[in-house]
């Protein structure tokens, strides 16, 4: 099939690469000539495992092309994916400016039956809106269909998620269009749900908001765990064995960041309010999340007797592991709060420092976690990189001035850290092993 993908961000490029690798002829379009040039040279514009390899292979085999020329790319295509950004406005409403521009250009370039697929996360009703724009701009009465095919990929495992999605959602208004998209995805052999446009659009928002809800829920529970000597990691495990709940997305920590969850929950709130609906539950997801970094730093200040003039090593800046993406990363909030308290910060991240430097140019950036820990009064572990799980913590301990370890993602074993000599503070758990301690006391008593 001839496929054109408009917008070469995470979703667009990964989609283009996977379809190309499956044997389709794919053109990736972007307005940024620099991005296109770098793609043509086999250099992806962002860090994502597997992307570079796939890009180079498919360029070499000449199934993948990149251009700034939208018109010819549209004319060449059977299926056109719109994967441009939908950044949030101040009020949480997604800004559809780029989707509108692209739809107009597609309309003008239309030269025969085509399927236009929205893959960007767009508010319910956008599919129909795109259809109207294309109708208004097409020259002649060329037929077309609009399909909503939301993307569920995660950064860090984007290629895998696209090749092995748990479900493929196809919102289409005609059987002709639905069947064509089914045919395109058939080689993946994954479950498909065919439904109408607004249903597909809501599935995407509802899924992301629900995952964010799980995180805020477990984070709320972690606050109680801390107060009563319970261990939130065990609570989550105990809950997760119930298949109705499921074990995933119950890791308590500093909360969620990234380009999707915060933005999508805000957009769902906006859509619901537009229809006069109550949004208390959705708003709480965000409120709880906002509070996390603040509480984390307050706790540090309390335990260290104030942070003014203290040196804090911040480990991890990306919004999660295996990405250089710092959009809405909790590290931004943590560092902002640390600075307000007057702390000196030594930061380290395996991949995200160049991006973070644009937000905070004046921090001390270090070449390793060890360098960051030198003479630090405390460590604030913010992102759960594997590299941090494997650190020589005895060495870290020796490098530090004071032994405070604040583990914002619960990656360390509290007992082990205490044995090394750290004053360890995790999220929603205390150092005592809650299961064994009472029994031992009982036996002694
Ligand atoms: C998310 C969705 O998972 C994906 O389906 C959608 O297409 C885009 O949004 P992504 O933003 O890449 O993907 O990251 P994800 O792995 O979902 O993590 C989001 C945030 O939640 C991260 O900041 C992560 O640290 C945090 N998180 C995740 C938790 O705090 N606890 C958890 O249990 C899981």
């Amino acid at each position: 099939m001839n496929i054109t993908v408009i917008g070469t961000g995470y979703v667009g490029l990964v989609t283009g690469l996977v379809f190309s690798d499956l044997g389709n002829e794919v053109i990736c379009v972007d307005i940024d000539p620099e991005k296109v040039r770098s793609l043509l040279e086999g250099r992806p514009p962002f860090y994502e495992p597997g992307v570079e390899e796939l890009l180079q292979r498919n360029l070499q085999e000449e199934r993948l092309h990149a251009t700034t020329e939208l018109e010819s790319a549209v004319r060449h295509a059977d299926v056109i994916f719109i994967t441009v950004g939908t950044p949030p406005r101040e009020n949480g409403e997604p800004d559809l400016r780029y989707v509108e521009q692209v739809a107009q250009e597609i309309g003008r370039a239309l030269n025969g039956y085509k399927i236009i697929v929205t893959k960007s996360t767009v508010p319910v009703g956008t599919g129909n809106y795109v259809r109207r724009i294309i109708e208004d701009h097409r020259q002649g009465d060329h037929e077309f269909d609009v399909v909503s095919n939301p993307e569920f990929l995660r950064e860090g495992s984007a290629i895998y998620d696209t090749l092995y999605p748990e479900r493929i959602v196809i919102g289409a208004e005609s059987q002709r269009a639905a069947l064509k998209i089914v045919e395109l995805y058939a080689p993946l052999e994954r479950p498909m749900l065919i439904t109408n446009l607004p249903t597909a659009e809501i599935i995407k928002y509802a899924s992301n908001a629900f995952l964010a809800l799980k995180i805020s829920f477990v984070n709320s529970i972690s606050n109680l765990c801390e107060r009563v000597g319970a261990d939130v990691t065990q609570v989550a495990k105990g809950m997760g064995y119930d298949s109705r709940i499921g074990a995933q997305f119950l890791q308590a920590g500093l909360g969620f960041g990234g380009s999707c969850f915060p933005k999508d929950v805000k957009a769902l709130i906006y859509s619901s309010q537009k229809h006069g609906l109550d949004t208390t539950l959705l708003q709480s997801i965000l409120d709880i999340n906002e509070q996390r970094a603040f509480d984390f730093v307050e706790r540090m200040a309390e335990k260290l007797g104030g942070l003014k003039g203290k040196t804090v090593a911040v480990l991890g800046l990306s919004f999660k592991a295996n990405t250089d993406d710092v959009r809405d990363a909790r590290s931004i909030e943590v560092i902002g709060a640390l600075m307000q308290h007057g702390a000196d910060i030594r930061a380290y991240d395996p991949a995200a420092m160049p991006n973070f430097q644009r937000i905070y140019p004046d921090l001390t950036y270090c070449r390793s976690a060890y360098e960051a820990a030198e003479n630090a009064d405390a460590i604030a572990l913010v992102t759960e990189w594997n590299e941090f799980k494997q650190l020589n913590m005895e060495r870290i301990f020796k490098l530090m001035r004071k032994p405070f370890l604040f583990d914002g993602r619960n990656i360390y074993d509290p007992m082990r850290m205490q044995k090394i000599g750290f004053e360890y503070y995790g999220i929603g758990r205390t150092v005592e092993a809650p299961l064994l301690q009472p029994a031992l006391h009982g036996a002694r008593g």
Side-chain angles (χ1 to χ4, degrees), residues 436-445:
L436 299 177
Q437 219 71 348
L440 283 176
H441 287 315
R444 277 193 210 116

Side-chain angles (χ1 to χ4, degrees), residues 152-155 204 249-251 256-257 260 319-320:
F152 299 98
L153 63 81
R154 291 162 300 177
E155 291 184 21
K204 169 69 188 185
F249 279 72
L250 284 180
Q251 275 166 39
F256 56 82
C260 293
F319 86 94
K320 64 173 192 179

Side-chain angles (χ1 to χ4, degrees), residues 160-221:
Y160 178 89
D161 291 346
T162 310
L163 279 172
Y164 304 99
E166 292 195 345
R167 78 296 209 188
I168 294 159
V169 175
I170 300 169
E173 308 284 65
S174 86
Q175 210 181 22
R176 182 184 186 187
L179 287 178
K180 188 95 176 162
I181 302 301
V182 167
E183 187 190 329
L184 180 63
Y185 278 108
L188 299 183
E189 296 182 38
R190 307 303 289 175
M192 297 197 207
L193 175 74
I194 300 171
T195 181
N196 67 17
L197 271 173
T199 306
E201 289 168 341
I202 288 195
I203 287 172
K204 169 69 188 185
Y205 277 111
S207 302
N208 273 359
F210 192 77
L211 292 171
L213 170 73
K214 282 186 92 174
I215 299 170
S216 279
F217 183 87
V218 79
N219 281 337
S220 268
I221 296 290

Side-chain angles (χ1 to χ4, degrees), residues 226-340:
E226 255 160 49
R227 306 285 185 290
V228 301
D231 181 341
V232 73
T233 60
Q234 300 286 315
V235 171
K237 223 181 218 167
M239 289 167 65
Y241 282 129
D242 185 331
S243 61
R244 293 169 303 176
I245 298 173
Q248 292 188 52
F249 279 72
L250 284 180
Q251 275 166 39
L254 287 167
F256 56 82
S259 64
C260 293
F261 285 172
K263 164 170 108 66
D264 291 354
V265 178
K266 278 183 205 148
L268 194 57
I269 291 174
Y270 179 81
S271 292
S272 304
Q273 281 173 346
K274 228 168 86 176
H275 292 277
L277 299 169
D278 178 62
T279 53
T280 318
L281 177 65
L282 296 172
Q283 190 56 49
S284 300
I285 300 174
L286 296 179
D287 294 344
I288 292 166
N289 200 51
E290 285 293 303
Q291 195 62 27
R292 300 304 291 165
F294 179 77
D295 288 352
F296 184 67
V297 174
E298 285 305 307
R299 194 177 182 204
M300 290 178 73
E302 183 205 319
K303 301 292 177 193
L304 270 87
L307 289 167
K308 196 158 176 50
K310 305 270 166 65
T311 303
V312 178
V314 175
L315 301 187
L317 300 171
S318 56
F319 86 94
K320 64 173 192 179
N322 299 326
T323 175
D324 65 354
D325 195 339
V326 297
R327 283 177 288 177
D328 254 317
R330 296 299 88 193
S331 56
I332 300 173
E333 312 287 326
V334 169
I335 285 176
L338 284 170
M339 284 167 92
Q340 269 193 345

